[in-house]
Amino acid sequence: MTVSTRRWLAGVLPSLTIALLALWWPPMAMLLAAKAGLVHDTGFPRLFDPSTLGSLLELMLLTAGALLMQTHPRDGWVVLAWSRAAAFLRLTWGVFVLSRLNGIAATLHERVIWDSAAMLVVSGGLLAYVRSEFLASRASEDQLNRD
Amino acid sequence: MAGLSRSFDFMARRPWLLAALVAIAYGVRLNDTRELVDAAVDPYRMALPPEREFLYGSPLPLFLVSYFIHQGLPGMAAYIWVQVMGAALFLVGLHRVVGRGVSRETRNLTLTVLLTSPLLVTLLWWIGKSDLYLLGFFLLLTCTQSQASPVGLASLMIVSHGELATIVLLMHGLLTPGRWRAIAVGLIVGHAMLAGYTGMLSPQPTSRADFAWQHAAELIGIFAATPLLHLVTPATLTVIYAAMRTLTWRAVTVLAVALGFAIVAQDFTRVFTIISTPLLIDAARTIAVSRPSAVTWLWPLAFIQVHLAGTNLLWAHGQDIRIAP
């Protein structure tokens, strides 16, 4: 892919992150409300189960990253990279729990695991691909400060 | 007199306060609430009566509501959140189009002029019609510098509202001839996505174009019965464009096309306003820059037009026409 493609992807990354957050926060708020007993609960009534906490951590890091990208692009990129680490932890926990319940073979047939893994690879790859654009933005910021 | 002038000036420079006051005083209207939620439960199965099948021609909001419903949100909450997302998209687009390269004062005056146009009522009273997504993507398209983004934004416009988006994009191409390639690719991709979706439905849903074609005689009859009422908005805008000396042949063509399509649409003023939005924004910008003092006395129009629209004195719209079984 060309430099202009990378530049374009770096330009739309904040918008993509915000769109993702708009799609993800309402279901998460609903889940938290259900687990906190604020609305009718349909499942596991614990607010602090590791799976929910993992999702919440990932979502908060994504939110912080999207906000930082508006003012400090490089710092925003770093926080978004940490959100991928949180996503990896969440996926690992999911595999661990499901394999304990159903066995490894059945877990590897779960579509949700493969969806999460694919999204993690795609988003991580995208972040790695546009990294140089955000490092360049920091370099130009530093140059401006020196001037 | 000086106190009155100061208070008018205060309001003219606070467009969001003006919009909020109009919304509080006259309310907002939600459209197609139950139909959208019903269809969103399973967007691949026809669940709407024939006269509402046109909603399948706006798959983006439909699939967004469907996504949130399947993520556990109640139907109404999903509907409202999708409208909030649309409003946020529209405001971001508006901010980029109106706010770039001008002072804060000029931006606020431009917004105030826009709020005195029928755009305000179109947005407040037709919530749920996917106009917010259509116009939001369009505004972002008009100000993007990228070569690739217009293709994606044009495609998203098409999947927001197939028919209106096509006309708005063609009119944009006419007003901005340098962007034809991106618009053409966006049109093709968007319509391919739309056709791919509606092709999966059985039987095929009645589109807005089918509806207009089947009921053209009745819709033209509505226009012919009250032509003056219908022509108030187009005539007012034409006079404003002429006074601002922005009435080129391209602008006249856009106004004529907008009028033509509005006549065979159910919501005359809404359709006319949306198609002529690019001109509306240009005129608002011109007025704010060239005659800022005039804007001071203009803002009461926002209240007056909504008030008259509420009493059906100055708001031309079609009427529900049921398709005979």
Side-chain angles (χ1 to χ4, degrees), chain B residues 138 164 166-177 180 234 237-238 241 246-263 271-282:
Chain B
F138 174 68
L164 267 182
T166 306
I167 302 163
V168 171
L169 283 171
L170 291 175
M171 294 305 102
H172 177 62
L174 180 72
L175 292 168
T176 321
W180 266 115
L237 290 178
T238 309
Y241 299 139
T246 55
L247 209 59
T248 61
W249 71 267
R250 291 176 196 273
V252 172
T253 309
V254 173
L255 287 171
V257 169
L259 182 61
F261 279 103
I263 287 172
V271 170
F272 182 84
T273 306
I274 288 173
I275 297 177
S276 52
T277 295
L279 297 178
L280 215 54
I281 290 170
D282 275 352

Side-chain angles (χ1 to χ4, degrees), chain B residues 59-137:
Chain B
L60 181 67
L62 184 63
F63 273 85
L64 284 174
V65 174
S66 178
Y67 162 79
F68 286 118
I69 287 175
H70 288 101
Q71 291 292 324
L73 262 70
M76 193 59 189
Y79 173 90
I80 289 173
W81 181 249
V82 169
Q83 304 314 318
V84 169
M85 283 169 62
L89 176 74
F90 175 76
L91 291 176
V92 169
L94 194 62
H95 177 74
R96 291 205 180 164
V97 167
V98 173
R100 281 239 169 116
V102 295
S103 68
R104 187 175 173 172
E105 188 183 333
T106 305
R107 185 194 69 197
N108 285 345
L109 290 177
T110 309
L111 287 172
T112 301
V113 179
L114 267 180
L115 295 179
T116 60
S117 78
L119 190 63
L120 177 64
V121 189
T122 301
L123 297 176
L124 289 180
W125 285 8
W126 272 286
I127 291 174
K129 285 284 186 190
S130 76
D131 300 343
L132 289 165
Y133 285 92
L134 170 67
L135 290 175
F137 289 130

